[in-house]
């Protein structure tokens, strides 16, 4: 049965696995170039690359940007081009009858395709994600790594596109995508319709993980700042860029408040900022400090009149990367396992 499945789907397997591994090789080569660069540019783009000294590094950085985005999108494409077609085309053309008419059980018929077609594609995606992770370890300083580590660059490894383009998550997403595509193909038994439904469903799942699920994996760090003009956000010391979930003014209960800036725009507008002819520079500085203090009190009073109590920033530190990766991979694989139940039910409904 394994040989028959391989012979039937070898073109799909070789095309999918070969394309993914080719991307992994290109990423590794670009990583070698980036690692020799003293100051790699995170998320380079081809438009900045000009012939001459440093052009190879620019092209390597830009290629890594492209491969990173492609890696995020690939699970959706594979769910349509591989997950759906492995079952739906046979059912649509009636060729599944041959397999189910033999002395092979339905469960074996289904699991053989999962093993022969799906597993190699999942492993290839894990290799691609691992290659991309390795490229981001190129040091640009004593504490920072290429793209993901420096808060100066501001690219958090907890969010798009870095989080999704790692070996663990790329492999888990692909497993979910293939199982989902096969389920929809078995249920609808129409290739075009199954492709459409799978495309929408898988895209919605990926967005749901990013927007709804991932922020809930841990209690966010909440940093409060007092009211006034001199407000600055200073994150908890961390070698990774933080993932900011929200920031803004809140009331005493922590509910968000939209500040009316126009109502407070006249604070301090009538103060005398110019130095007077009869005052020394020291007296002028002292009076200026008093003006700043009065202005700050007036501005704070205006804010409190609108029900504002403080300025809050909610974020996840980059040190939670491993925890978030394991959590999301576990959820994704658990969802994949749950989808296998209706898949087996759909297989049993097939008529030889």
């Amino acid at each position: 049965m394994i040989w028959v499945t391989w012979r039937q789907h070898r073109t799909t397997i070789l095309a999918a696995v070969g394309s993914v591994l080719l991307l992994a090789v290109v990423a590794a080569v670009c990583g070698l170039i980036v690692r020799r660069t003293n100051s790699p540019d995170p998320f380079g783009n081809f438009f900045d690359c000009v012939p001459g000294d440093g052009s190879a590094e620019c092209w390597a950085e830009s290629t890594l940007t492209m491969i990173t985005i492609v890696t995020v999108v690939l699970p959706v494409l594979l769910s349509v081009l591989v997950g759906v077609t492995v079952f739906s085309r046979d059912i649509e053309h009636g060729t599944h009858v041959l397999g189910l008419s033999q002395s092979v059980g339905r469960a074996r018929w289904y699991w053989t395709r999962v093993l022969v077609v799906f597993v190699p594609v999942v492993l290839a995606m894990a290799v691609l994600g691992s290659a991309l992770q390795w490229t981001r370890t190129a040091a640009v300083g004593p504490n920072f790594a290429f793209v993901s580590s420096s808060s100066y660059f501001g690219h958090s490894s907890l969010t798009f596109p870095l989080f999704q383009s790692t070996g663990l998550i790329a492999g888990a997403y692909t497993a979910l995508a293939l199982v989902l595509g096969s389920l929809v193909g078995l249920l609808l038994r129409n290739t075009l319709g199954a492709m459409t439904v799978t495309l929408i469903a898988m895209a919605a799942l990926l967005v749901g993980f990013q927007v709804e699920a991932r922020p809930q994996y841990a209690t966010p760090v909440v940093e409060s700042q007092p009211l006034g003009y001199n407000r600055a956000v200073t994150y908890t010391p961390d070698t990774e860029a933080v993932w900011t979930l929200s920031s803004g003014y809140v009331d005493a209960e922590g509910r968000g408040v939209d500040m009316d800036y126009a109502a407070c725009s006249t604070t301090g507008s009538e103060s005398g900022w110019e130095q007077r002819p009869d005052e020394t520079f020291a007296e002028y500085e002292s009076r200026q400090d008093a003006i700043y203090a009065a202005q700050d009190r007036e501005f704070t009073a205006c804010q409190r009149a609108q029900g504002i109590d403080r300025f809050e920033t909610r974020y996840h530190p980059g040190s939670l990367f491993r925890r978030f990766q394991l959590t999301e991979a576990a959820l994704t694989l658990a969802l994949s396992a749950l989808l296998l139940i209706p898949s087996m039910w759909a297989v049993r409904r097939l008529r030889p």
Side-chain angles (χ1 to χ4, degrees), residues 179-337:
V179 172
L180 175 64
S182 64
L183 171 60
V184 177
L186 288 167
L187 292 175
L188 297 186
R189 306 181 186 182
N190 177 278
T191 301
L192 184 59
M195 284 182 170
T196 303
V197 173
T198 302
L199 181 67
I200 297 173
M202 192 60 203
L205 282 173
L206 295 187
V207 173
F209 275 118
Q210 168 72 40
V211 177
E212 298 295 336
R214 197 175 309 144
Q216 312 303 322
Y217 294 164
T219 302
V221 177
V222 179
E223 182 177 294
S224 299
Q225 298 290 325
L227 297 181
Y229 274 124
N230 300 320
R231 174 183 54 78
V233 178
T234 54
Y235 298 116
T236 301
D238 198 289
T239 58
E240 299 280 340
V242 301
W243 178 20
T244 303
L245 302 178
S246 64
S247 61
Y249 292 107
V250 298
D251 60 15
E253 304 298 326
R255 297 185 295 264
V257 177
D258 293 327
M259 178 178 170
D260 182 7
Y261 288 91
C264 304
S265 61
T266 59
T267 57
S269 59
E270 299 180 358
S271 303
W273 293 97
E274 298 80 7
Q275 183 176 1
R276 297 169 183 171
D278 58 341
E279 66 180 352
T280 64
F281 185 74
E283 292 173 335
Y284 169 68
E285 283 189 324
S286 176
R287 185 170 61 84
Q288 197 174 45
D289 291 341
I291 292 175
Y292 277 125
Q295 185 183 46
D296 192 66
R297 289 192 298 270
E298 186 179 351
F299 189 77
T300 301
C302 179
Q303 289 178 309
R304 294 197 182 281
Q306 299 181 39
I308 299 174
D309 182 71
R310 60 191 181 276
F311 186 92
E312 277 191 355
T313 301
R314 299 170 62 251
Y315 66 92
H316 287 306
S319 55
L320 295 175
F321 176 72
R322 295 299 177 191
R323 173 180 172 181
F324 277 32
Q325 288 263 300
L326 292 174
T327 301
E328 188 148 319
L331 289 175
T332 303
L333 294 177
L335 181 57
S336 303

Side-chain angles (χ1 to χ4, degrees), residues 58-183:
C58 180
W59 279 92
E61 294 157 0
S62 302
T63 301
L64 286 175
T65 299
M66 181 190 69
I67 295 177
T68 298
I69 301 301
V70 170
T71 303
V72 175
V73 177
L74 267 178
V76 179
L77 297 179
L78 291 172
S79 70
V80 172
L81 300 177
V82 179
V84 170
T85 58
V86 165
F87 292 97
S88 66
R89 284 183 178 175
D90 283 356
I91 297 173
E92 198 173 32
H93 297 155
T95 54
H96 71 292
V97 175
L98 178 62
L100 296 179
S101 300
Q102 306 300 317
S103 59
V104 177
R106 294 171 181 264
R108 183 181 175 188
W109 177 79
Y110 174 80
W111 285 108
T112 300
R113 295 186 178 218
V114 171
L115 175 64
V116 175
V117 183
F118 289 178
V119 171
V121 177
V122 171
L123 293 177
M125 283 295 294
V127 170
L128 173 58
S130 299
L132 286 173
Q133 276 187 279
W134 173 77
T135 66
R136 297 167 191 157
T137 61
V140 296
N143 301 316
F144 301 138
F146 174 57
V147 176
S148 60
S149 290
S150 172
S151 57
Y152 171 77
F153 291 146
H155 302 302
S156 172
S157 58
L158 298 178
T159 187
F160 174 89
L162 300 179
F163 189 87
Q164 294 91 330
S165 56
T166 61
L168 183 61
I169 298 302
Y173 277 0
T174 303
L176 173 61
L178 295 176
V179 172
L180 175 64
S182 64
L183 171 60

